[in-house]
Amino acid sequence: MIEIKDLHAKVEGKPILKGLSLSIKPGEVHAIMGPNGSGKSTLSAVLAGRSDYEVTSGTVTFFGEDLFAMSVEERACAGLMLAFQYPVEIPGVKNVYLLKAALNAQRKARGEPEIEAPAFMKLVREKLQFMKIDNSFLHRAVNEGFSGGEKKRNEILQMLILEPKLVLLDEIDSGLDIDALKVVAEGVNSLRDAGRSFLMITHYQRLLDYIEPDFVHVLNDGQIIKTGDKSLALELEDRGYDWVVEETA
Amino acid sequence: MKHYAQAFDAFNKNAEDGWLKSQRIAAFARFEHLGFPTPSVEYWKYTDTKALAKREFKLATGYDQQAAAELLKAKGLKLDAHRLVFVDGLLSSELSNLEGLQDAVVIEPLSQALATELELTSGMMGRLAGIDVDVFTALNFAFVSEGVVVRVGANQKVNKPLLVTYLSTATEEVMSHPRILIAAGASSELQLIEHFIGADEAKNFTNRVVEGVMERNAKIHHTLLQQPSDKEWWVGRIQIEQKRDSRYTSHQMNLGGKLVRDDLVCDLNGEGAECDFSGLLFGRNRQHLDIHTLVNHNAPLTNSYETYKTILNDRSQGVFNSKVIVKKDSQKIHAVQNNANLLLSDQAQINAKPELEIYADDVKCAHGATTGQLDMDALFYLMARGIGEEEARGLLTLAFANEVIDKLELPEIYNLVETTVAGQLPHKIELELTQ
């Protein structure tokens, strides 16, 4: 699904990713863990297309297409979705409008007709219920005045409605209490299927208790230095990162 | 300036001797004395009108009826309303319709009122917007001949909105000086919509004055929708006097013009009087848009609310100046001035100045002005959901303006403003379905 090869990227002139390679196949769930400053968030930002990150070398193909040749919205329409670590507040733009505009933009890109209003509302209500979000949410501005947990739930709600093929979950667990984490994890798990993949970026093993990964990668200084299964995450939780760094040095 | 003198002589010399003729002469003398303001005049610091002095605007003597009808058809509001249409300052009887007015309501062209009820009309004219108010008001008075007189009897709610449409056509460069006079009786209600429509190549100068006296508990809901061409000049003044418990609301949607300047003044003269102003200035290219407001809290327990937003593209310039004066002894007043400005280009410029002058001690006043650009993180967020850049920018721009355009109650005006501000957005969500 996505093939990242020897990716190098800079932020404000400073190299952050230094030869990162990763391959994700349909249906797989990957987790990337690593100490602060290892490049975790840079990876998601580069993949989503943030302009303040400069890719200096390496390639990324998404369903065989050159990802870097695609605009931000083209990537989204092709099925890539970044669930933000810090979802931005957008005063004046209602959630319902964002959801409809985004869904229709993606449908249009796939050559499908716009969704009819009744079908759209049915879909949205169903997903709201699933995410335990009140209907009044639709008429609130995007993330405005939301708690940290509400913002994260909103990201997952958007995911449920847009049904992307590859989801980047950037520290989706940060700032969540256990109950909110369960709701978020249920949302993610409900979408798991043979054709859809997830890349989770996290600090905490806790998330992986609720969303079980097929692979766990350790990112350090801009490179993946170790890959294992979910037992690796448990080991990292126990022993920290230093031993991995030393082992691979 | 010589040209204005020639135009004035030709215009007034054949007028019948009497009150109007002599008032016009006095007004023109006042205009000549003051001249068009330059930035050295404090009130016109950011808006330079000296170019007007060099222009050779004429008074229209006729117009192309078919072109006017087509322009109205293409851009006019399709409201169920009492209608008066002026073309380059001249009344168009064909396009106007005042049928079905209730008995205690008079709405008539100013020319007719001056001809048939001079005494009554002269008592209304210049009472609030006299020749000393400002140079453009003096100029308006000098050339006054057409406009609207509205008299609403006590306890009357005018059965339909009054829609006054100014069509500005693209023939020779003309000037017009319409004046609207309103007397709103006690507990009366009036909805007034003024719509200015410029033909694409129109290069005219419109200098319109509104004066309105509101008796106890009267309500006026006033909307001004301005769509001049890029080459047009508009100067407008609204002067409202409010007595006890009256309520005046103003929505101004300024969607462009070469130079557009509006002054809006409310005198809150009786307890319980309240005014609520909101407006949007939307500038493109090299347009220059200016709004000045003044609220005089002359009585205790009066309220004023103002919310203005400015969106400036390209090299356009905006001026926002609002002043609230609270007189000594005007206690327990509430005044709020809000102004937010969005600059969509590095070359766009805004001069914003909210001012408070308070001479009473028991008052609640708040004012603020902010200026910023589109939030790039919000833009990225929308695009990362698949929304194209243009649409995402439109959405965010519209979101900025929402607070003021949401107050527009007529869907046709709302849609027009939305399309102008945001481009063609995919159709809106049908809200009733979400209940």
Side-chain angles (χ1 to χ4, degrees):
Chain A
M1 176 173 293
I2 194 162
E3 195 74 42
I4 303 168
K5 280 188 188 152
D6 195 28
L7 183 61
H8 289 72
K10 282 182 185 173
V11 184
E12 289 168 359
K14 189 176 166 226
I16 304 286
L17 298 183
K18 302 170 183 173
L20 187 147
S21 296
L22 178 65
S23 173
I24 302 177
K25 296 192 175 59
E28 293 178 351
V29 176
H30 291 239
I32 289 190
M33 303 183 75
N36 281 330
S38 58
K40 299 192 300 296
S41 287
T42 301
L43 176 62
S44 64
V46 165
L47 295 180
R50 274 207 87 109
S51 58
D52 34 1
Y53 292 77
E54 187 196 346
V55 175
T56 46
S57 68
T59 59
V60 178
T61 55
F62 185 50
F63 289 106
E65 303 277 326
D66 177 5
L67 189 73
F68 296 139
M70 298 158 86
S71 66
V72 176
E73 62 270 31
E74 282 167 353
R75 296 178 199 195
C77 290
L80 178 78
M81 176 172 165
L82 169 63
F84 286 81
Q85 182 181 2
Y86 301 111
V88 64
E89 300 194 7
I90 315 182
V93 176
K94 287 175 179 172
N95 283 297
V96 67
Y97 199 106
L98 166 65
L99 290 170
K100 196 172 186 197
L103 182 60
N104 279 333
Q106 298 201 10
R107 288 173 69 105
K108 198 174 158 194
R110 293 195 294 264
E112 296 169 18
E114 288 198 351
I115 188 166
E116 299 280 333
F120 172 73
M121 289 315 301
K122 185 167 175 284
L123 171 73
V124 169
R125 276 205 214 101
E126 196 184 295
K127 303 302 183 193
L128 281 170
Q129 207 171 7
F130 187 81
M131 290 305 292
K132 300 184 170 57
I133 301 174
D134 192 83
N135 276 1
S136 65
F137 158 90
L138 292 176
H139 293 285
R140 293 170 65 189
V142 176
N143 295 323
E144 193 182 31
F146 285 22
S147 70
E150 283 178 309
K151 287 180 182 171
K152 296 297 173 71
R153 262 194 264 183
N154 190 13
E155 296 295 287
I156 302 302
L157 176 76
Q158 291 173 22
M159 181 191 78
L160 292 178
I161 287 165
L162 298 173
E163 300 190 328
K165 306 222 173 67
L166 173 65
V167 189
L168 309 174
L169 299 164
D170 190 0
E171 304 204 13
I172 196 73
D173 52 333
S174 63
L176 291 187
D177 60 35
I178 288 290
D179 291 335
L181 180 60
K182 280 182 184 165
V183 174
V184 164
E186 272 172 38
V188 172
N189 289 328
S190 75
L191 270 194
R192 282 182 77 160
D193 68 28
R196 187 171 286 115
S197 311
F198 294 86
L199 177 60
M200 296 187 279
I201 289 165
T202 182
H203 272 296
Y204 308 107
Q205 189 275 332
R206 186 182 72 158
L207 175 68
L208 310 186
D209 287 342
Y210 297 95
I211 307 171
E212 281 195 26
D214 302 305
F215 300 95
V216 174
H217 310 278
V218 179
L219 185 64
N220 187 59
D221 196 24
Q223 287 182 319
I224 289 177
I225 56 170
K226 192 175 176 68
T227 296
D229 60 15
K230 65 174 181 165
S231 64
L232 176 59
L234 289 168
E235 203 170 353
L236 291 168
E237 179 89 347
D238 274 353
R239 299 171 61 190
Y241 293 102
D242 291 350
W243 66 275
V244 194
V245 177
E246 279 163 28
E247 192 183 287
T248 54
Chain B
M1 291 295 279
K2 208 174 88 198
H3 217 83
Y4 290 90
Q6 287 165 354
F8 179 71
D9 286 341
F11 166 72
N12 204 36
K13 74 168 186 256
N14 295 324
E16 203 181 314
D17 285 334
W19 178 82
L20 188 58
K21 185 172 186 174
S22 59
Q23 287 292 311
R24 283 175 179 158
I25 291 168
F28 194 77
R30 181 75 189 155
F31 162 73
E32 278 192 310
H33 172 71
L34 293 170
F36 286 112
T38 62
S40 62
V41 179
E42 178 62 24
Y43 232 55
W44 290 85
K45 194 169 171 185
Y46 300 107
T47 298
D48 194 348
T49 62
K50 66 175 181 292
L52 275 173
K54 299 187 199 110
R55 305 297 280 259
E56 300 186 357
F57 297 107
K58 296 180 170 64
L59 291 169
T61 49
Y63 59 88
D64 180 339
Q65 285 202 16
Q66 200 188 334
E70 277 166 17
L71 183 60
L72 184 67
K73 193 168 175 225
K75 292 192 173 174
L77 295 170
K78 279 119 198 126
L79 295 175
D80 183 20
H82 300 298
R83 297 164 166 276
L84 277 166
V85 177
F86 299 96
V87 186
D88 297 335
L90 303 171
L91 174 71
S92 166
S93 315
E94 305 78 34
L95 299 174
S96 300
N97 187 350
L98 293 172
E99 279 169 28
L101 277 170
Q102 66 253 59
D103 287 345
V105 174
V106 173
I107 298 176
E108 60 183 343
L110 178 62
S111 52
Q112 185 182 317
L114 286 169
T116 58
E117 291 166 317
L118 181 61
E119 205 170 326
L120 198 59
T121 311
S122 64
M124 294 168 79
M125 192 149 73
R127 177 171 162 189
L128 300 173
I131 62 172
D132 292 332
V133 167
D134 119 305
V135 58
F136 287 96
T137 308
L139 183 65
N140 173 287
F141 211 137
F143 284 99
V144 73
S145 62
E146 197 50 277
V148 187
V149 173
V150 183
R151 285 184 279 124
V152 187
N155 303 312
Q156 295 292 317
K157 179 181 179 177
V158 181
N159 54 11
K160 284 192 246 180
L162 168 59
L163 173 61
V164 177
T165 306
Y166 309 96
L167 297 176
S168 180
T169 68
T171 44
E172 50 183 352
E173 297 180 20
V174 296
M175 61 176 173
S176 61
H177 303 274
R179 189 174 280 240
I180 298 182
L181 308 173
I182 303 168
S187 297
S188 65
E189 272 188 70
L190 167 70
Q191 183 176 8
L192 169 63
I193 299 154
E194 290 181 276
H195 188 192
F196 183 91
I197 304 170
D200 288 344
E201 291 301 314
K203 294 175 190 146
N204 304 326
F205 168 34
T206 305
N207 175 26
R208 155 335 232 110
V209 171
V210 175
E211 19 186 352
V213 176
M214 300 175 69
E215 299 298 331
R216 287 175 73 128
N217 202 37
K219 288 187 178 60
I220 295 179
H221 195 82
H222 189 176
T223 304
L224 171 60
L225 174 60
Q226 294 160 301
Q227 296 181 280
S229 83
D230 273 4
K231 298 182 178 101
E232 289 198 272
W233 305 73
W234 161 283
V235 177
R237 172 171 291 276
I238 298 170
Q239 293 272 154
I240 305 289
E241 180 185 298
Q242 293 187 241
K243 297 187 182 163
R244 196 175 173 128
D245 297 324
S246 61
R247 183 174 163 82
Y248 172 79
T249 58
S250 163
H251 300 305
Q252 183 183 356
M253 293 292 132
N254 176 345
L255 304 181
K258 179 185 175 68
L259 183 147
V260 178
R261 160 69 178 245
D262 282 284
D263 280 80
L264 171 54
V265 181
C266 268
D267 288 322
L268 303 176
N269 290 351
E271 287 184 14
E274 184 171 291
C275 62
D276 187 339
F277 304 164
S278 62
L280 173 71
L281 277 64
F282 185 79
R284 283 175 285 204
N285 305 323
R286 288 175 174 271
Q287 296 176 333
H288 183 101
L289 314 176
D290 178 347
I291 173 93
H292 271 59
T293 69
L294 171 62
V295 177
N296 289 306
H297 286 267
N298 295 333
L301 294 160
T302 49
N303 302 324
S304 65
Y305 307 99
E306 299 185 47
T307 306
Y308 285 90
K309 302 234 171 171
T310 305
I311 300 172
L312 299 171
N313 294 277
D314 310 318
R315 301 174 74 93
S316 60
Q317 296 194 351
V319 181
F320 171 77
N321 187 303
S322 77
K323 196 169 189 174
V324 166
I325 301 177
V326 181
K327 253 193 168 169
K328 190 169 171 284
D329 302 328
S330 290
Q331 305 294 3
K332 306 243 182 262
I333 74 107
H334 189 196
V336 181
Q337 296 165 288
N338 277 318
N339 166 237
N341 307 296
L342 178 63
L343 302 179
L344 296 176
S345 121
D346 292 341
Q347 277 100 42
Q349 199 184 332
I350 177 80
N351 285 291
K353 192 171 160 197
E355 294 176 86
L356 284 168
E357 271 181 38
I358 303 171
Y359 301 100
D361 47 29
D362 184 12
V363 302
K364 217 162 99 188
C365 296
H367 69 169
T370 59
T371 298
Q373 293 164 331
L374 279 189
D375 179 348
M376 287 300 129
D377 288 332
L379 187 66
F380 181 75
Y381 189 92
L382 296 175
M383 289 164 64
R385 294 297 174 255
I387 299 170
E389 181 168 355
E390 203 177 330
E391 187 186 340
R393 282 181 185 274
L395 257 178
L396 292 174
T397 308
L398 186 66
F400 170 83
N402 255 347
E403 194 184 345
V404 289
I405 66 177
D406 273 356
K407 294 187 183 200
L408 295 168
E409 287 162 10
L410 298 164
E412 201 183 345
I413 300 181
Y414 181 93
N415 291 339
L416 178 79
V417 174
E418 181 187 276
T419 308
T420 308
V421 170
Q424 283 293 348
L425 290 173
H427 50 94
K428 284 199 290 293
I429 305 293
E430 293 85 26
L431 294 180
E432 65 273 17
L433 283 166
T434 63
Q435 300 308 315

